[in-house]
Each structure stands twice: as structure tokens, then as C-alpha cells.
Amino acid sequence: EAGVVQSPRYKIIEKKQPVAFWCNPISGHNTLYWYLQNLGQGPELLIRYENEEAVDDSQLPKDRFSAERLKGVDSTLKIQPAELGDSAVYLCASSFTGKNTEAFFGQGTRLTVV
Amino acid sequence: AQSVSQHNHHVILSEAASLELGCNYSYGGTVNLFWYVQYPGQHLQLLLKYFSGDPLVKGIKGFEAEFIKSKFSFNLRKPSVQWSDTAEYFCAVNGNTDKLIFGTGTRLQVFP
């Protein structure tokens, strides 16, 4: 069974440029998460989807970050414009809906803004 | 609000030593608890989880954790570590929502 697939694995961009990350969750998982992981820190939730609805986006900096999950499967996270402080690993995870479930993580996209 | 504390930021052990990593959470209601591991260059993987029942949970690769409700703790243990256990370990909790909150992680280095 394929796991959570993210692309690209690495991205280097200049500040003020836009960037997008893509995630394909595990088949059948209705819940999709985007997390941000800074060096030496634990993952921090940016947004959580139940199917195509964003049910928790309270930690998403909406002035420059946006996300979508149009058909309730794949998701895209965008930053426009990127800032130096956005350099981090962006993780996507998915799970079945409900409390007693575990989240499965992708490899992440390591973003470097120069 | 939920939060998770991992007090050991960096642990260095020799092979065959015993391991215990601390995890404390703050949340007054029913919780689900997790330990995830991230090996160098790999993605986060689930080591073990607690939803309900026996508070002593056994996971993969000989790891176990004990949920002590009165102490709001979920410490990770392994009686004898191996070099291959070198990784970063994250404790995580979710309360009454599906919001999974992570601790800051503990970096474990095991030397042969």
C-alpha cells in the first residue's frame, strides 16, 4: 500500500517568490493535515481537512499561506510571497476520520528560502 | 489548550543501555497518546499508541510506554537500546478533537 506522497522533496526559492507543495494522502483517508516543522522542533499543525472542508485552519498565516483540497483527495499548500522565515520542512499527513485513529506522515518537503 | 512537554532534548547512550524518555501533557479530558519516531532521512513513523485499556502499551522494535493518568505522563521505555535506535522521538496527544499536538522531540544517539 502506498503511503502519503509529497512533492517536491526539496525546494530552494528566493524570497518573495511563490511556492507550492503537493500531497497525495493514503487512499480512503478522509482527514488530511499540513504541518510545519522547524529545525529542532516538533511538527506544528497548519491546517486540517475533513474531506474538502478545512475544519481547523487557525494556525495558518492567511496573509501569505493558502491551501486547497478541491476533490477531497489531493491537497496543495501555497506560500506567496515566501519569506526567509518560511524555511522549514512542510509535512503532510492523513488518517481516517474520528478520534481513535493514527496519522500517517509523508516524507515532507524541505523548503529553503534564500 | 492541549500541550505536550518532552524534557529530554538530547540523550546519548551506549548500546544495551536502558532508555526512558519523558512525556507530559496538559489536557483535562480523555486523551489519545502517541509516540512517533523519525530516523535520519526518513518520515515520521508511529512507534506506539494508547487509546484506552491497559495503560502499558507495547509498540514496535521492543519499545513500550506507560500511561499514568494521575501524572499526565506517557513515558517511552526500552530495556536495551541498539545503534539502530538512533533517531528523533516525538510524543503527541489529541484530546477531544482530531488535532494532534506534538512535543518538541528528543534526539537519541546510541553509540556502539
Side-chain angles (χ1 to χ4, degrees):
Chain A
E1 177 184 316
V4 177
V5 179
Q6 291 187 246
S7 69
R9 287 290 313 278
Y10 303 92
K11 188 75 176 178
I12 302 174
I13 62 170
E14 293 184 342
K15 62 182 181 182
K16 301 184 181 179
Q17 294 302 305
V19 64
F21 315 125
W22 175 80
C23 173
N24 180 235
I26 292 173
S27 178
H29 283 187
N30 294 331
T31 301
L32 184 145
Y33 314 78
W34 282 103
Y35 281 86
L36 165 71
Q37 186 175 20
N38 286 304
L39 190 64
Q41 300 293 317
E44 300 171 34
L45 182 68
L46 288 172
I47 189 167
R48 174 169 65 92
Y49 282 94
E50 295 290 347
N51 297 303
E52 63 274 10
E53 181 184 359
V55 296
D56 184 352
D57 62 356
S58 57
Q59 302 302 310
L60 190 71
K62 298 181 184 63
D63 58 335
R64 296 184 300 108
F65 286 65
S66 64
E68 59 183 16
R69 194 185 184 200
L70 293 175
K71 296 183 179 179
V73 181
D74 294 5
S75 177
T76 303
L77 178 69
K78 297 178 182 177
I79 309 175
Q80 182 171 10
E83 297 179 352
L84 294 176
D86 296 331
S87 295
V89 177
Y90 292 82
L91 299 169
C92 179
S94 70
S95 71
F96 291 112
T97 299
K99 184 182 175 186
N100 291 350
T101 61
E102 64 186 79
F104 294 81
F105 284 79
Q107 296 265 33
T109 296
R110 181 176 296 278
L111 173 67
T112 302
V113 182
V114 297
Chain B
Q2 300 170 184
S3 67
V4 180
S5 296
Q6 292 183 244
H7 305 296
N8 315 104
H9 298 295
H10 190 189
V11 174
I12 301 173
L13 295 173
S14 298
E15 277 193 317
S18 65
L19 170 72
E20 181 161 1
L21 301 182
C23 173
N24 289 90
Y25 66 92
S26 65
Y27 183 74
T30 304
V31 292
N32 289 346
L33 297 156
F34 306 83
W35 275 98
Y36 281 84
V37 61
Q38 190 168 28
Y39 298 103
Q42 296 190 27
H43 62 282
L44 278 164
Q45 303 171 41
L46 185 71
L47 262 184
L48 47 79
K49 61 191 176 189
Y50 172 81
F51 292 160
S52 64
D54 188 343
L56 185 60
V57 178
K58 296 195 182 296
I60 61 172
K61 304 187 180 186
F63 285 90
E64 65 178 31
E66 185 175 11
F67 171 48
I68 303 179
K69 189 175 181 180
S70 61
K71 294 184 178 181
F72 298 90
S73 70
F74 190 56
N75 292 354
L76 181 71
R77 300 194 292 248
K78 186 171 184 178
S80 176
V81 295
Q82 301 174 313
W83 176 78
S84 58
D85 293 324
T86 294
E88 188 128 19
Y89 293 80
F90 294 93
C91 181
V93 60
N94 69 18
N96 62 346
T97 68
D98 290 334
K99 188 170 184 175
L100 191 60
I101 305 296
F102 284 83
T104 52
T106 297
R107 183 180 171 207
L108 172 65
Q109 282 184 290
V110 181
F111 289 96

